[in-house]
Amino acid sequence: MAISEVKICNLALRKLGARLIESLSDSSQEAVTCNLFYEQVRDAVLRDHPWNFATCRCRLAKLAQGPAFGFSFQYQVPVDCLHLRQLSRADDEFVVEGDKILTNIDGASAIYTSKVSNPVLFDSSFVMAFSARLAAEMADDITGSSSKAREMWTLYLNAMQSARLADSSEGREDEILNDPWLEARGIHGLDSPVWRA
């Protein structure tokens, strides 16, 4: 069976020991909570890792007016861009301000994470990470248990570690940054000794 929004939500709900839903239009607490979190969590997980399935390359549209100061050129951020990862070369300096990219590179190209919304296109490791993060975000509302939320955050970090290892075998490796929110709750990022082999 093809992956769907409902299936991803049910994976998250199953991790929480909650009732499954048949549709996101259900009036149940589970469906309402899934609707509240689904899109925001999906986009956050897309931003957390340079997923191969969501990576795009394009030539940027240079704007006629340059920035007021600091850089020579200004480009439009692609409409589907969630996270600009690199300009033409890995060491190109740039900054994103609003919907503009400022740089000294003329004729710049970009590598970025796009906002993929069709679940059929999701990588299987993304689905596992997404469902764990969705469960973590919904845990308080669905279960009222902070320990369950913490358990799901740990599950999410484990899923991201697996994704990182898989991506490194496909020619890319990326660090997952430490999250102060997680660290304050005793869940450490991937550069912690607990994650090292």
Side-chain angles (χ1 to χ4, degrees):
M1 176 187 278
I3 198 69
S4 66
E5 292 181 355
V6 169
K7 189 168 185 179
I8 291 168
C9 289
N10 280 334
L11 285 170
L13 291 168
R14 175 68 72 194
K15 293 177 198 319
L16 296 173
R19 289 180 314 193
L20 304 186
I21 61 173
E22 292 184 15
S23 167
L24 284 169
S25 61
D26 290 354
S27 59
S28 66
Q29 179 195 1
E30 291 81 5
V32 169
T33 306
C34 285
N35 266 314
L36 180 64
F37 286 100
Y38 183 91
E39 186 175 341
Q40 290 75 19
V41 173
R42 179 200 66 209
D43 291 353
V45 178
L46 281 168
R47 284 181 57 88
D48 276 353
H49 186 72
W51 303 98
N52 290 332
F53 77 91
T55 298
C56 288
R57 295 170 184 259
C58 74
R59 297 205 180 279
L60 294 171
K62 185 163 63 176
L63 301 174
Q65 183 176 355
F69 63 91
F71 291 94
S72 302
F73 304 102
Q74 188 166 247
Y75 297 86
Q76 187 67 49
V77 173
V79 294
D80 64 337
C81 177
L82 276 179
H83 189 166
L84 182 62
R85 301 205 174 271
Q86 179 183 318
L87 287 191
S88 306
R89 297 179 305 272
D91 59 347
D92 287 344
E93 185 181 354
F94 69 90
V95 65
V96 177
E97 294 180 353
D99 64 346
K100 308 291 188 295
I101 302 165
L102 283 59
T103 183
N104 291 320
I105 304 301
D106 191 12
S109 300
I111 299 174
Y112 65 92
T113 297
S114 66
K115 183 172 183 168
V116 178
S117 57
N118 184 350
V120 173
L121 302 177
F122 294 164
D123 179 87
S124 58
S125 59
F126 174 81
V127 170
M128 296 311 294
F130 179 15
S131 63
R133 174 76 180 263
L134 190 58
E137 297 285 0
M138 298 190 305
D140 283 341
D141 288 353
I142 298 291
T143 70
S145 168
S146 58
S147 63
K148 179 59 82 170
R150 190 176 186 280
E151 178 187 337
M152 292 301 103
W153 278 107
T154 302
L155 185 65
Y156 171 64
L157 288 175
N158 282 328
M160 292 300 285
Q161 172 72 345
S162 295
R164 179 174 173 259
L165 293 173
D167 267 1
S168 70
S169 70
E170 295 175 337
R172 176 180 301 149
E173 186 168 358
D174 188 51
E175 294 293 334
I176 300 172
L177 299 177
N178 290 326
D179 185 326
W181 188 94
L182 294 175
E183 288 190 344
R185 287 154 180 81
I187 303 171
H188 301 285
L190 297 178
D191 63 350
S192 167
V194 73
W195 294 107
R196 294 183 188 136

